[in-house]
Amino acid sequence: MEIVVYGLIGLYALLTCVAGVQKWRGEGFQMRAALFIAVSVGMLATLCMPGKGVVLSLLVLEFALLHVLALAEGAGNGRIRAGHHFVRLFFHCLLLFLVYQYIK
């Protein structure tokens, strides 16, 4: 189960990083896109750390940062959809629960 949880988080980080790169290429340099890429790469690096407690703590921080960045992105372009952010928040909480249950 640990492999599945790490795979889900790695895939999520990879897709978020790809979305940040696409935004950067399409609209030019923006700080939010660079921060999305940085946090995504940080998530991938976190998955390689040996301490399970550290991994959980850093993932909590990184998921919170991704959620704040997504809210800032929605506020920046004037399209904050509450439903999307609630689904994203639920997904983050689900992944953190799985990390706590199967990795800790």
Side-chain angles (χ1 to χ4, degrees):
M1 193 63 176
E2 184 175 335
I3 293 171
V4 172
V5 173
Y6 271 31
L8 282 173
I9 294 171
L11 181 64
Y12 181 69
L14 187 64
L15 291 174
T16 303
C17 186
V18 168
V21 169
Q22 286 297 100
K23 183 166 182 70
W24 191 339
R25 290 177 71 197
E27 298 179 11
F29 177 78
Q30 291 183 347
M31 187 55 103
R32 286 189 302 254
L35 289 173
F36 267 111
I37 294 167
V39 172
S40 298
V41 170
M43 282 176 66
L44 290 172
T46 298
L47 295 177
C48 299
M49 293 183 162
K52 303 302 181 184
V54 174
V55 169
L56 180 62
S57 300
L58 286 175
L59 284 175
V60 167
L61 176 67
E62 290 160 347
F63 283 142
L65 285 173
L66 281 177
H67 200 71
V68 168
L69 284 170
L71 287 172
E73 181 72 24
N77 63 18
R79 297 182 316 210
I80 297 179
R81 294 187 323 264
H84 173 76
H85 292 292
F86 285 129
V87 168
R88 190 176 190 145
L89 180 63
F90 174 76
F91 183 68
H92 290 169
C93 292
L94 176 67
L95 285 177
L96 289 174
F97 175 74
L98 289 174
V99 168
Y100 182 76
Q101 287 295 315
Y102 296 108
I103 296 174
K104 182 104 171 143

